[in-house]
Amino acid sequence: MRLKKKSGYHHGDLRRTLLDVSVATIDKHGVDALNLRELATRAGVSSGAPYHHFADRAALLAAIAEEGFGYLEAAMIRERDAAPDDATSRLAALGRAYVSFATAHRGHFRVMFRGDLIGGDSPELVQAQPRVFQLLWDAVEDCQRSQVAPAGDLQPLVLTAWSAVHGLATLWIDGALPYKNLNPERLAPIVSNLISHMFAALAHNPASRTRSSRRQSTVRR
Amino acid sequence: MRLKKKSGYHHGDLRRTLLDVSVATIDKHGVDALNLRELATRAGVSSGAPYHHFADRAALLAAIAEEGFGYLEAAMIRERDAAPDDATSRLAALGRAYVSFATAHRGHFRVMFRGDLIGGDSPELVQAQPRVFQLLWDAVEDCQRSQVAPAGDLQPLVLTAWSAVHGLATLWIDGALPYKNLNPERLAPIVSNLISHMFAALAHNPASRTRSSRRQSTVRR
DNA sequence: GATCAATCTAAGCATTGCTTAGTTTTGCGA
DNA sequence: TCGCAAAACTAAGCAATGCTTAGATTGATC
């Protein structure tokens, strides 16, 4: 990953090269290992050149995050539309796409939720995340309409589904899972299985209304 | 958070002070904002002093992570033992404790899973995480024994439970949840509800065997 | 009371993010 | 085609920060 410059002085597509080299570095060594001077050297330019394409390091990372959300959204839509045409299958497909994206694009994923690094100023980035979230929200709502998710407040359901896939992706990427035998291929069916049955099972369990307003009447005043 | 030195030259308990000030800074501004020189100034010592207590920045962060795992383990045990004496309630208590810890000790939690920062060398740290994991594992196993979790391979069940609480905690801490009305108090019942019913419901759903060996016989050769 | 280890200070080196001033190239209108 | 303004890049350097080194101060132990 050291895309060379073509002519002498002008690089040709330095912005693209910087993004690619950065993502590869972050994938291999983490965000903190990304060094703008070394990055410039690897891209074949001087250390000041990147600043003509990105205001600062945070802006570079924000661009990576934005790109990542774009890829993620596309992958989720693709998998969802390729899934069988029932609400549960489509939600499961979204979950699988989420985890698959994280494991396959570690470099992007490692940046996408680091609000502390990228300082959520970029307007494109601010809009990218809610779009992904909306996909999930709509799918859960479909499950509810199809009565394969419990009635009631949608928020806890969406939160549960998102947390499960996000947690799995995060733990995997951080290398926190104490399983040696766990590769990304084995992750997908776990997600599938989880999502497919979780809401369906909950829907038939009368105790699982999700409104949090189950205060006991004795406590009420 | 600027514990002063008592006498003139020697601080008294610099190590403790460094940890406390660090955690407070990380809680407020993130790990990347932690600056050893400013840290030293805040603790009232010169910029070289911290290196007599921590080999480098990574070692300081590792100490914070280790401390965090200790607190987390204690909180989980406390909540579990205070819960009603059935497997489901105890697992739910573990989950609540996990999320509560994360929101209440953001400074610690932000470091605990950043293997890229702390370089997993410290032997105490290496042992701390599996202990927490074991708590979860045992609780899920109890659920299985009590038949409130599906039979079969335990790994996907543990993974699901852990992912859900870890994801919720992570999303919350990263400020990624697009809910304005969501405070830590509202998180706890969501976790409780999720954990309490997830496995129980799954246990009665015959399609949810967790062994991933459900290849169709037609594909088998 | 002397000695030694632990703790701390002062000073400085190397790395890295970013800026500034000037150079080279490209694109575009006259 | 010419000329010029904007874009892209280089070279040099400042400031912040992690870490090291040499030496000063303190507290503990015999």
Side-chain angles (χ1 to χ4, degrees):
Chain A
M1 183 62 68
R2 183 182 307 218
L3 306 185
K4 283 295 183 61
K5 55 204 296 191
K6 313 193 173 174
S7 62
Y9 203 88
H10 278 46
H11 180 283
D13 197 359
L14 182 56
R15 190 190 141 92
R16 182 72 256 153
T17 301
L18 291 173
L19 288 175
D20 291 341
V21 177
S22 296
V23 168
T25 303
I26 295 171
D27 185 301
K28 267 188 244 163
H29 305 107
V31 187
D32 297 292
L34 183 66
N35 165 317
L36 282 209
R37 291 177 109 104
E38 185 186 337
L39 171 63
T41 302
R42 282 222 256 219
V45 293
S46 74
S47 65
Y51 292 92
H52 289 275
H53 299 274
F54 302 100
D56 51 17
R57 206 180 98 114
L60 168 65
L61 295 177
I64 293 174
E66 184 196 331
E67 193 175 75
F69 276 110
Y71 291 163
L72 174 59
E73 188 188 8
M76 288 173 75
I77 291 176
R78 194 185 329 117
E79 293 272 332
R80 181 198 62 186
D81 293 349
D85 193 24
D86 63 281
T88 307
S89 297
R90 285 160 41 126
L91 179 63
L94 287 185
R96 257 176 325 193
Y98 195 99
V99 175
S100 292
F101 170 84
T103 56
H105 297 86
R106 209 162 42 145
H108 284 98
F109 196 85
R110 275 190 166 143
V111 173
M112 287 164 61
F113 295 94
R114 294 291 302 279
D116 56 327
L117 283 183
I118 62 192
D121 300 343
S122 154
E124 291 92 356
L125 182 56
V126 169
Q127 294 180 340
Q129 188 176 333
R131 280 207 306 273
V132 168
F133 178 75
Q134 190 65 43
L135 286 175
L136 192 62
W137 182 277
D138 291 345
V140 173
E141 205 167 23
D142 269 357
C143 286
Q144 212 177 39
R145 259 198 292 271
S146 307
Q147 308 205 333
V148 290
D153 191 2
L154 214 54
Q155 177 177 321
L157 295 179
V158 177
L159 221 47
T160 297
W162 190 12
S163 294
V165 292
H166 187 79
L168 191 59
T170 302
L171 288 172
W172 163 263
I173 283 189
D174 287 345
L177 297 177
Y179 297 118
K180 312 298 173 199
N181 61 342
L182 208 59
N183 46 20
E185 290 76 31
R186 295 200 46 186
L187 245 43
I190 290 176
V191 177
S192 233
N193 202 40
L194 159 65
I195 298 273
S196 292
H197 300 296
M198 184 171 53
F199 287 160
L202 282 170
H204 302 308
N205 186 337
S208 63
R209 302 279 116 170
T210 60
R211 270 231 165 270
S212 62
S213 60
R214 51 181 179 86
R215 321 170 181 143
Q216 297 151 345
S217 52
T218 58
V219 176
R220 196 165 218 171
R221 58 178 59 207
Chain B
M1 183 62 68
R2 183 181 307 218
L3 305 186
K4 281 297 183 62
K5 54 203 296 189
K6 314 193 172 173
S7 62
Y9 205 89
H10 280 48
H11 180 283
D13 196 359
L14 182 55
R15 190 188 141 93
R16 184 69 258 153
T17 301
L18 291 173
L19 288 174
D20 291 341
V21 177
S22 296
V23 168
T25 303
I26 295 170
D27 184 303
K28 266 189 243 163
H29 306 105
V31 187
D32 296 293
L34 182 66
N35 167 319
L36 282 209
R37 291 177 109 103
E38 185 185 337
L39 171 64
T41 302
R42 282 223 256 217
V45 293
S46 75
S47 65
Y51 293 92
H52 290 275
H53 298 274
F54 302 100
D56 52 16
R57 207 181 96 115
L60 168 64
L61 295 177
I64 293 174
E66 184 197 330
E67 191 175 76
F69 276 110
Y71 290 162
L72 173 59
E73 189 187 8
M76 287 173 75
I77 291 177
R78 195 184 329 119
E79 293 271 334
R80 182 198 60 188
D81 293 349
D85 193 24
D86 62 282
T88 308
S89 297
R90 285 160 41 126
L91 179 63
L94 286 185
R96 257 176 326 198
Y98 195 98
V99 176
S100 292
F101 170 83
T103 56
H105 297 88
R106 209 162 43 147
H108 284 98
F109 196 84
R110 273 188 167 144
V111 173
M112 288 164 58
F113 295 93
R114 293 291 303 280
D116 56 327
L117 283 184
I118 62 190
D121 301 343
S122 153
E124 292 92 355
L125 182 55
V126 169
Q127 294 180 342
Q129 188 175 332
R131 279 206 308 272
V132 168
F133 178 75
Q134 191 65 44
L135 285 175
L136 192 61
W137 182 277
D138 291 344
V140 173
E141 206 168 22
D142 269 356
C143 285
Q144 213 177 38
R145 258 198 292 273
S146 308
Q147 308 206 333
V148 289
D153 190 3
L154 213 54
Q155 177 177 322
L157 294 180
V158 177
L159 222 48
T160 297
W162 191 12
S163 294
V165 292
H166 187 79
L168 192 59
T170 303
L171 288 172
W172 163 262
I173 283 187
D174 286 345
L177 298 178
Y179 297 117
K180 312 299 175 199
N181 61 342
L182 208 59
N183 45 20
E185 289 77 31
R186 294 200 48 185
L187 246 43
I190 291 177
V191 177
S192 231
N193 202 40
L194 159 64
I195 298 273
S196 292
H197 299 296
M198 184 171 54
F199 287 159
L202 281 170
H204 302 308
N205 185 337
S208 63
R209 302 281 116 170
T210 61
R211 269 231 167 269
S212 62
S213 60
R214 50 182 179 86
R215 319 167 184 145
Q216 296 150 348
S217 52
T218 57
V219 175
R220 196 165 219 169
R221 58 177 55 206

